[in-house]
Amino acid sequence: MPALGFAGSLVGCGVVFAAFRPQHNPQVGGCQFEPASRLPEHEHAVRLVPTEGTASFVGVFQGTLLDRQRQLFHVGGSKFPADRYRIDLLRWPDERADLEANRKYSHPLEIPDGLDGLLPGPAVDFCGFSALHCVIVGSGVRTEQEAQTIVAASFSSPAVPLGSLLRPRAVRDTGRQYRSLILSAREDPEEYRALVAGRHPSAVVLDGAAAVCRWLGANMAPVTVALVERLGASGEAAADLLESRRGRSLCDLPLPSDLAEVPSGIEVLAWQDRG
């Protein structure tokens, strides 16, 4: 485990990689026209991901059309050839009300150079589509700074920062491709508990003592990872809270056999909650 300075982002990357699955229907020949025709009209925000090129479009889905035997998607008041785009259904946090019904917004795919060999699947699937795998609760400013940490570089391609793999976003970033969500530890967990849990993230990372003390009982995902430094009163309070929860647990869980050896001075607690 590296210094706690960017451990939260690194753990988040691990969650994203473990949870990522390529799109179920990667064919490009208009294969999504039929299922798209069954989507309710004027209810969902969607992104159209191009099969070629780098320009994607976000807008309100207004249905499918047949024009001279051409299959078309009707999004944001414009018509797009169905054989050139795939649909990314933005179930959350992109609500329909965030977008004007008759306007489309252009967004680049944001596939950084140098990702080949680092991704757990095709770049267009990983970078072009949205999915909520991981939630990081902590300092939003610090997490953004951590996301700039360089994790790969070569002579033939630009350096790759953690953010390219974590793909974070905030709650109100309309239309942005994402794999993880960033929440401030200062927010009220009650405002986000049902919202986040309903989108089924794989894990929540509580980055820091303040996040642990306020968010440990939020139960937003099946797995909660708490990162605490035992420095100062807040760190001791968070550690005591973890020990207390562990004492009421069903059983302790062993570390996976293939887990890298935990360095000296770092404690790892894992347990199965009775709930």
Side-chain angles (χ1 to χ4, degrees):
M1 181 67 74
L4 191 62
F6 61 95
S9 295
L10 198 62
V11 172
C13 283
V15 173
V16 169
F17 271 53
F20 172 78
R21 298 293 182 274
Q23 296 295 306
H24 294 298
N25 198 357
Q27 293 83 10
V28 298
C31 62
Q32 288 191 320
F33 181 81
E34 183 177 345
S37 66
R38 296 192 290 269
L39 286 175
E41 298 179 5
H42 306 282
E43 289 189 14
H44 294 291
V46 300
R47 175 183 294 103
L48 296 180
V49 181
T51 57
E52 296 180 5
T54 59
S56 64
F57 297 92
V58 174
V60 175
F61 180 74
Q62 296 168 297
T64 56
L65 300 169
L66 279 174
D67 182 12
R68 301 176 185 176
Q69 303 303 314
R70 291 195 70 191
Q71 297 176 334
L72 304 172
F73 296 135
H74 192 194
V75 174
S78 299
K79 301 171 185 177
F80 299 86
D83 59 348
R84 297 183 185 177
Y85 294 91
R86 285 187 285 159
I87 289 181
D88 179 20
L89 189 60
L90 304 179
R91 297 183 183 276
W92 181 85
D94 304 281
E95 303 293 346
R96 180 202 178 283
D98 293 337
L99 299 169
E100 297 178 28
N102 291 310
R103 183 179 175 186
K104 68 179 186 298
Y105 301 81
S106 177
H107 291 267
L109 274 183
E110 299 178 355
I111 302 178
D113 294 332
L115 286 184
D116 294 339
L118 297 179
L119 296 174
V124 67
D125 277 0
F126 188 78
C127 298
F129 291 83
S130 302
L132 182 60
H133 298 318
C134 176
V135 181
I136 298 180
V137 181
S139 167
V141 173
R142 188 176 73 177
T143 302
E144 290 180 3
Q145 293 173 342
E146 293 173 5
Q148 302 305 313
T149 303
I150 301 302
V151 293
S154 71
F155 292 109
S156 59
S157 61
V160 179
L162 270 175
S164 296
L165 310 178
L166 189 61
R167 303 198 66 78
R169 65 168 291 165
V171 173
R172 298 177 180 86
D173 288 342
T174 303
R176 180 178 173 184
Q177 304 98 321
Y178 63 95
R179 294 285 165 182
S180 59
L181 177 68
I182 307 302
L183 288 172
S184 171
R186 298 180 179 179
E187 298 282 358
D188 183 359
E190 292 297 330
E191 295 185 9
Y192 297 95
R193 185 197 313 272
L195 182 69
V196 174
R199 273 65 187 183
H200 309 293
S202 298
V204 171
V205 179
L206 304 181
D207 191 3
V212 172
C213 290
R214 294 200 65 189
W215 290 77
L216 185 60
N219 297 322
M220 296 184 294
V223 175
T224 299
V225 181
L227 301 174
V228 179
E229 262 187 319
R230 285 185 181 267
L231 297 174
S234 61
E236 288 296 334
D240 290 343
L241 181 60
L242 287 168
E243 288 283 8
S244 175
R245 286 288 294 270
R246 180 192 183 194
R248 299 193 301 270
S249 66
L250 183 65
C251 64
D252 285 354
L253 300 177
L255 293 178
S257 58
D258 58 348
L259 184 70
E261 182 178 352
V262 178
S264 175
I266 292 179
E267 301 171 77
V268 178
L269 302 178
W271 65 83
Q272 181 178 347
D273 192 88
R274 291 184 181 275

